[in-house]
Amino acid sequence: MIRVDKIAKKFTKFVDKGKKVDFYADYDISFEAVEGEVLGILGPNGAGKTTLLRIIAGIMKPSSGKVIIDNLEYENSEVKIKRKMAFLTGNTKLYKDISVYELLEMTGEYYGMRKKDIVSKIKYLTNKFDMESFLHQRIVALSTGQVQKASIARCLIHDPKYYILDEPTSGLDIISSKTILDMIKEEKKNNKCILYSTHYMEEAENICDRVILLNRGKIIMIGTPDEIRRKTKTSNLRDAFFALVEDE
Amino acid sequence: MRHIWITIKKELRSIIRDKKSLLMMALAPLFIPIFVILMANIYDVMMEEDDTVYKVGINYNLNTIENDIISQYKLETIRYDSENSLEKAYENNEIVAYIVKKKDKYWVYNNSQSEDGSYVGAYITSYLETYNNYLGRLYLEENDIDSSLVYNNISYELVELQGESILANQVINMAIIFTIMGITLTAICAATDLTAGEKERGTLETLLTYPVKSSEIIIGKYVAILVSTVITLFVSIILAFVSLWYVKNNFLMLESISLNFNISAVFLTFIVLFTYALFISGLCIAIASFAKSFKEAQSMLTPISLFICVPMFLEMLDTKFGIYVNIIPILNHSFVINDIFSGKIDIFNILIVIISSIIYTCLLIFIIIKQYKSEKILFSN
């Protein structure tokens, strides 16, 4: 289980004439996500989604609050927690000078997998995502769709318990988006916990068990899509979001 | 340790597959033989016998004695009738200088600031002094005085000794500087690519989500940079020794100086340069880690590539330093290797250079491990 407890993240930005201004990207964020659940994190640009997911993935430290994953905290169990996770963003860039096979092999090695297991998992993922034709090609030579498949395979190689997906379908065509959405559905069936941030409210409505609506770094509502629609007396999450923002 | 090894493998693969990095590792050492041979050739030409004969105008007739004396110097005299015609001949570049004789006084007109004038002035002075001495001896002999009592009180002979040569030192220094430059450029190129480059390409964020400590990432990157500099070091050291051996055996200026080409010199040179590679790899990765982009890293590292030329200029100026120079990185490596090449091996100096380099390297690694945990560094762009 992922437990986020009163997370806040403060940044300092420079405004005119070298003046510094502090602002919170995230403030007083608390929630839990359990196995077999897809938890959507929705909000406009600047809502604090990426910062929140970076904190949960352990690549940023919160200014206050804590993230507890399977009763472990980053402070003293960073490597143990990261072994259970996979992180994928719409901006994820892969090493261009290596082949897809080398990428998957390297990722498996970082996650401490045995050589034999890496080889069999690569074989499995190659078949699953139909990557045979470009498995040994350097990533620089691949199409966007092929890169996306390699990216997803990279996340699946070590069979993580938790997925942190930050706008993974952003900028992708329908086919590439479908590959990711299918992966999410399948991993949910495998009882994995998935944190999924997106701009696309309709997409979230279809795939998420619960949804967190974020605005200006704060949670404005949390619940299942049905609950949110009911509470806001709207017919979809988009309208629900606007209704909540107007009420603020 | 396992994660460090995986990172080293990843980074070396990236360096070897990057044409720019490969080019830098191979290209910089190739300048060593080119510049060493070119410089030796220039100095050699400068030292060769000069057969130029300088034309000098005169307004008087030379006697037989004067003709004999002048023939010993590289002077050819041309007789002009008047001072005016001498002046005109000088203005028309027909002669380099001219001598006007009025009674027993010789007036030498010459521009000693010009290249030819500096030589001609010396030759004319020698001719006149020799002729003056001749007249002195003649006078003594005419008055029955033994001239040897006046002129030969002492005798001397010049004997050329083997040893230090400023020009030869500059050629050796050129080989050292290009070896150091090769190592430095490789370190700059690799450090820029593996830190700022990785940040700019967006792969660093992914790497940080792996179950690996930032200290393991940075040590892996550091070792990968070090390995690439050591490859450059090997190529450079071989080319430096081969080109110095070649110029010693083919150029006049290096013929007489002692060059140390034995196994211990090669070994010590390698050790000193290896400590330089340790230091410069750490310095470059520490600086490049602060950069937000590839371009910024290159700008931040450019002063290092300029600083490595300082020892060459100091050597040209023949500047002498105290023992403290042994703890100034880059200068100390350059000077101590110059000593090793010249056969002046001072183990104490070498030890100071090695120990100080190791201390600096440890400090740099400590700093980069600390800074690589900072979000300001990782997400500064």
Side-chain angles (χ1 to χ4, degrees), chain B residues 11-75:
Chain B
E11 303 301 4
L12 280 177
R13 194 152 42 192
S14 154
I15 291 170
I16 288 164
R17 288 181 184 176
D18 178 35
K19 284 177 191 160
K20 207 167 55 186
S21 304
L22 263 188
L23 194 71
M24 199 52 78
M25 279 160 70
L27 198 65
L30 283 179
F31 281 105
I32 298 171
I34 295 171
F35 277 91
V36 165
I37 294 169
L38 186 73
M39 201 167 174
N41 194 39
I42 291 168
Y43 288 159
D44 213 46
V45 168
M46 281 166 60
M47 290 180 72
E48 274 174 10
E49 280 290 305
D50 186 5
D51 294 330
T52 313
V53 175
Y54 300 98
K55 290 179 178 174
V56 175
I58 51 175
N59 70 337
Y60 56 95
N61 291 324
L62 296 171
N63 59 35
T64 321
I65 302 300
E66 281 179 296
N67 261 326
D68 283 349
I69 294 170
I70 265 187
S71 67
Q72 292 168 27
Y73 302 101
K74 292 172 182 174
L75 298 175

Side-chain angles (χ1 to χ4, degrees), chain A residues 56-70:
Chain A
I56 296 168
I59 53 177
M60 254 186 193
K61 283 183 180 169
S63 307
S64 63
K66 54 190 172 183
V67 176
I68 301 162
I69 296 167
D70 291 345

Side-chain angles (χ1 to χ4, degrees), chain B residues 303-315:
Chain B
I304 296 179
S305 54
L306 296 175
F307 185 73
I308 53 177
C309 296
V310 171
M312 186 166 70
F313 295 124
L314 293 176
E315 189 64 40

Side-chain angles (χ1 to χ4, degrees), chain B residues 200-218:
Chain B
E200 194 168 281
R201 287 191 294 272
T203 48
L204 183 63
E205 189 178 31
T206 311
L207 185 60
L208 292 169
T209 63
Y210 291 154
V212 51
K213 291 176 186 165
S214 55
S215 57
E216 291 171 326
I217 294 175
I218 205 71

